[in-house]
Amino acid sequence: IMNPYGKWFGRIVWLGFFANMFFVIPCCFFPEFLLSLLKMQIPVPIIWVRATGLLLLEISILYIPGALDPYRYQATAWMSVLVTRGGGSSFFLCAVLFFGQDWGFLTIALVDLVFGVVEGILLFQALRNQEPVIAELAK
C-alpha cells in the first residue's frame, strides 16, 4: 500500500522519464537540430550524439521499477535519484562551470537537478512514513 509521497514519487519519475524523451528522440533522430537549438557545436562524427540519446533511453528505462513500486525496489529508486539525476546534474554543471563546455549543457543539468531534488524529497518522505511490511501483512 503506497502512501501519497510514494504515489507522487512514481508520478514525478514518470514525468521525468517523458521529459528525458525530449532529449532522447532528437538526439537519436535529429541531432543537428537539437544541437543548433541549444546553440552547441555539432561534433563529427554525429554518431556520438545519437549514442548519447540511446544511452539516455536505456538509463531512463531503468527508472521504471522504482517508479512502479519504490518500496519493493528501494535500491533502484534511490539510484535513479542519486546516481542518475544527481550524477547527471553534477557532471554537466561541472563540465560547463569548470571545464568550459557549451552553455547548452546547462539545460541537461537543470532538468536533472530539478527532478532529482523533487524525487529525492518525495522518496525520502515515502520511505520515512512507510509502515513496516510485517504490520501490513498482519492486517
Side-chain angles (χ1 to χ4, degrees), residues 55-105:
L55 290 172
L56 181 57
L57 173 64
E58 293 167 348
I59 288 168
S60 299
I61 289 169
L62 295 175
Y63 296 167
I64 294 172
L68 294 174
D69 190 345
Y71 306 109
R72 183 174 183 187
Y73 302 106
Q74 287 183 30
T76 303
W78 277 116
M79 284 190 286
S80 72
V81 173
L82 300 173
V83 176
T84 61
R85 294 295 186 186
S89 62
S90 301
F91 175 82
F92 287 109
L93 280 172
C94 289
V96 172
L97 299 177
F98 302 119
F99 300 110
Q101 295 300 310
D102 291 333
W103 285 92
F105 286 113

Side-chain angles (χ1 to χ4, degrees), residues 1-68:
I1 298 173
M2 206 176 300
N3 66 37
Y5 295 111
K7 288 179 184 175
W8 276 104
F9 170 77
R11 291 172 182 159
I12 298 301
V13 170
W14 278 108
L15 182 63
F17 176 89
F18 290 111
N20 282 357
M21 295 309 108
F22 284 102
F23 291 100
V24 168
I25 293 167
C27 278
C28 289
F29 301 106
F30 315 105
E32 294 92 348
F33 171 76
L34 177 65
L35 295 174
S36 297
L37 185 68
L38 296 174
K39 299 183 181 354
M40 298 171 65
Q41 296 177 10
I42 298 174
V44 176
I46 199 72
I47 189 72
W48 293 112
V49 179
R50 294 177 193 272
T52 300
L54 178 62
L55 290 172
L56 181 57
L57 173 64
E58 293 167 348
I59 288 168
S60 299
I61 289 169
L62 295 175
Y63 296 167
I64 294 172
L68 294 174

